[in-house]
Amino acid sequence: MGVPKRRKSRSRKKMRVRSHRHPMPSLAKCPKCHAWTQPHRTCPSCGYYGDRQVISITAE
Ligand SMILES: [Zn+2]
């Protein structure tokens, strides 16, 4: 493996590291309540995952 010749400056390092993270997490619509949720996760607004309730959400 090659070895870096010079140390990268603070801003160069930040520019590199910034690209490692996604700017926005991907979103999917909940089939039950049609709210935006993350895919493959329990819906935080209705508590459903797939077609069954996984966690109980107390109504406000
Ligand atoms: Zn939902």
Side-chain angles (χ1 to χ4, degrees):
M1 283 261 285
V3 177
K5 196 167 192 175
R6 293 196 65 83
R7 171 186 160 169
K8 295 284 185 291
S9 71
R10 236 176 300 171
S11 71
R12 283 281 161 200
K13 180 184 167 185
K14 279 181 182 177
M15 272 196 264
R16 171 165 43 84
V17 170
R18 232 174 274 150
S19 67
H20 293 172
R21 205 174 65 181
H22 284 286
M24 285 282 280
S26 56
L27 288 172
K29 273 232 172 125
C30 171
K32 185 82 181 172
C33 65
H34 308 291
W36 288 107
T37 61
Q38 281 188 68
H40 311 113
R41 272 157 188 80
T42 308
C43 174
S45 58
C46 66
Y48 269 71
Y49 183 77
D51 55 352
R52 64 193 178 92
Q53 190 159 20
V54 186
I55 54 169
S56 58
I57 305 289
T58 49
E60 283 138 48

